Amino acid sequence: MSTPDRPVVDFWFDPACPWAWMTSRWMDEVSAIRDVEVRWHVMSLAVLNEGRDLPESYRAAMDAAWGPVRVIIAAARDHGDKVIKPLYDAMGSRRHPGGRTDTDAIIAESLAEVGLSADLAEVAGTDEVDDLLRESHRAGISLVGEDVGTPVVAIDGVGFFGPVITPAPTGDAAGRLFDGLVLMTSVPGFYELKRTRTAGPSF
């Protein structure tokens, strides 16, 4: 529950996105030095890009992005939201700093690491949980609109795309960035602050 001194942070991610991974590492730092409640949710770049005219290489990436989000959603359905973050960490550490793209193996190893049934991997290639996936995605995207990506971070219900950062701030720098975001979300008319990215994610 949010209080004036303990904000609730809702964080929507797609495990395929390196920028969401960077921001999630920052949020871990924030959790260690600020009194916050962080709730983790799945959004889907594949859902976001449905029906859009995409380059062939990116379309292939979107096709591959369905599996991991479906598995996380299925795990949460069966075991509760408490498994979302550990499963995301397991998948993301292999994919991003680990540099791997063998999605099926990443899913299998991540389920084993978190202590979940290997059978959950079967959901990756089906639409069994797509209604739940779209519901989770819609909850995040409804806060920010369709013209964004992942991550979506909301503080006490006020959401923004980002922050997009590299490398992830640590220690006091992480706390100061969070404090600044809290201030921005307190201004009803604040919508956007952006500059062109000149560096890739530094893990």
Side-chain angles (χ1 to χ4, degrees):
M1 174 179 289
S2 175
T3 69
D5 298 321
R6 191 171 193 264
V8 171
V9 179
D10 287 286
F11 191 112
W12 280 267
F13 66 88
D14 185 317
C17 179
W19 295 105
W21 178 256
M22 299 300 301
T23 308
S24 72
R25 301 310 93 182
W26 162 71
M27 186 52 60
D28 283 347
E29 286 284 320
V30 171
S31 297
I33 60 176
R34 293 290 188 271
D35 185 17
V36 298
E37 177 187 350
V38 184
R39 303 185 299 201
W40 300 87
H41 312 274
V42 176
M43 65 180 293
S44 170
L45 290 172
V47 171
L48 183 67
N49 284 287
E50 280 183 317
R52 296 183 180 181
D53 186 16
L54 304 172
E56 189 59 35
S57 60
Y58 193 65
R59 183 171 298 283
M62 292 300 94
D63 289 343
W66 282 101
V69 290
R70 284 168 167 164
V71 170
I72 296 175
I73 288 289
R77 175 199 63 186
D78 294 350
H79 301 284
D81 290 348
K82 64 183 182 297
V83 303
I84 293 176
K85 179 61 161 46
L87 194 49
Y88 175 40
D89 287 345
M91 290 183 181
S93 62
R94 288 168 170 80
R95 182 178 181 93
H96 300 302
R100 291 173 53 185
T101 58
D102 49 339
T103 301
D104 290 346
I106 288 172
I107 289 172
E109 292 171 19
S110 299
L111 288 170
E113 179 180 319
V114 179
L116 297 174
S117 170
D119 291 344
L120 283 167
E122 297 174 6
V123 177
T126 76
D127 62 1
E128 176 183 335
V129 296
D130 282 8
D131 286 348
L132 292 173
L133 172 60
R134 292 177 189 280
E135 181 181 337
S136 180
H137 174 86
R138 187 164 51 248
I141 212 71
S142 68
L143 299 176
V144 293
E146 296 285 340
D147 191 26
V148 299
T150 175
V152 168
V153 176
I155 299 176
D156 292 336
V158 180
F160 286 92
F161 164 53
V164 176
I165 44 179
T166 186
T170 59
D172 288 344
R176 289 194 301 271
L177 176 57
F178 180 74
D179 296 343
L181 193 60
V182 171
L183 287 173
M184 286 189 292
T185 58
S186 71
V187 178
F190 183 83
Y191 289 101
E192 186 172 3
L193 181 69
K194 186 174 183 178
R195 62 175 175 169
T196 300
R197 289 193 295 249
T198 58
S202 173
F203 304 120

